[in-house]
């Protein structure tokens, strides 16, 4: 944990950067889903139809993309709430970047079909967001 603290600056720009990376992660996973599923330019007219018939790695990558979109609003709200209530910026930054790293691991685990590990990583990523909310509540009391 100390190594992560040393790598992450204690400015708000670090948390904002983590939010940007987390926001781009579903898009990056969609590229993996499309590339592994043989997505062609003509499929762009109806990409959801294409993914309804996807199997294997392409289907798992698409599911990882969807799950990333589902958890993203919670993470973004948690970071902004923690910043609004003046949780120490260094703590916000560590939890924000930890969330990003865990979500990257989650996507890799999902794509490679490591279902139990994926579930653990999902829970850990949610714990980062919930911890930010908890800290905001504690600071505001």
């Amino acid at each position: 944990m100390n190594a992560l603290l040393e790598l992450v600056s204690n400015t708000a720009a670090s948390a904002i950067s983590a939010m940007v990376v987390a926001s781009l992660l579903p898009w990056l996973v969609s590229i993996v889903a499309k590339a592994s599923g043989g997505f062609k330019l003509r499929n762009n007219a109806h990409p959801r139809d294409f993914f309804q018939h996807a199997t294997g790695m392409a289907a798992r990558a698409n599911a990882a993309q969807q799950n990333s979109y589902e958890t993203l609003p919670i993470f973004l709200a948690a970071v902004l709430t923690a910043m609004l209530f003046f949780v120490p910026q260094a703590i916000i930054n560590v939890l924000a970047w930890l969330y990003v790293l865990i979500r990257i691991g989650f996507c890799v685990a999902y794509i490679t079909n490591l279902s139990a590990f994926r579930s653990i990583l999902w829970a850990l990523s949610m714990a980062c967001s919930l911890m930010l909310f908890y800290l905001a509540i504690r600071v505001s009391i």
Side-chain angles (χ1 to χ4, degrees):
M1 188 67 148
N2 285 338
L4 187 58
L5 279 169
E6 292 173 14
L7 288 174
V8 177
S9 75
N10 61 353
T11 65
S14 183
I16 294 167
S17 297
M19 292 190 308
V20 170
V21 172
S23 297
L24 293 175
L25 187 58
W27 176 73
L28 293 173
V29 177
S30 77
I31 293 171
V32 173
K34 290 175 180 178
S36 63
F39 192 87
K40 304 284 188 241
L41 189 57
R42 69 178 179 271
N43 298 122
N44 205 41
H46 301 286
R48 292 178 190 200
D49 290 343
F50 174 81
F51 281 116
Q52 282 183 337
H53 303 294
T55 59
M57 189 164 110
R60 290 190 304 273
N62 186 52
Q65 171 198 12
Q66 291 172 343
N67 184 270
S68 294
Y69 278 125
E70 292 164 358
T71 63
L72 185 61
I74 297 165
F75 168 69
L76 296 175
V79 172
L80 293 174
T81 301
M83 292 171 83
L84 179 68
F85 284 93
F86 302 106
V87 171
Q89 193 63 50
I91 295 171
I92 295 170
N93 294 350
V94 167
L95 287 170
W97 281 108
L98 192 57
Y99 171 90
V100 170
L101 292 174
I102 291 169
R103 290 302 301 181
I104 291 169
F106 169 87
C107 290
V108 170
Y110 211 136
I111 292 167
T112 58
N113 205 22
L114 300 172
S115 59
F117 186 53
R118 175 190 86 214
S119 295
I120 292 167
L121 293 174
W122 180 87
L124 290 172
S125 71
M126 292 303 293
C128 290
S129 295
L130 294 175
M131 181 57 77
L132 287 167
F133 282 125
Y134 171 77
L135 293 170
I137 291 168
R138 295 291 300 169
V139 168
S140 69
I141 293 177

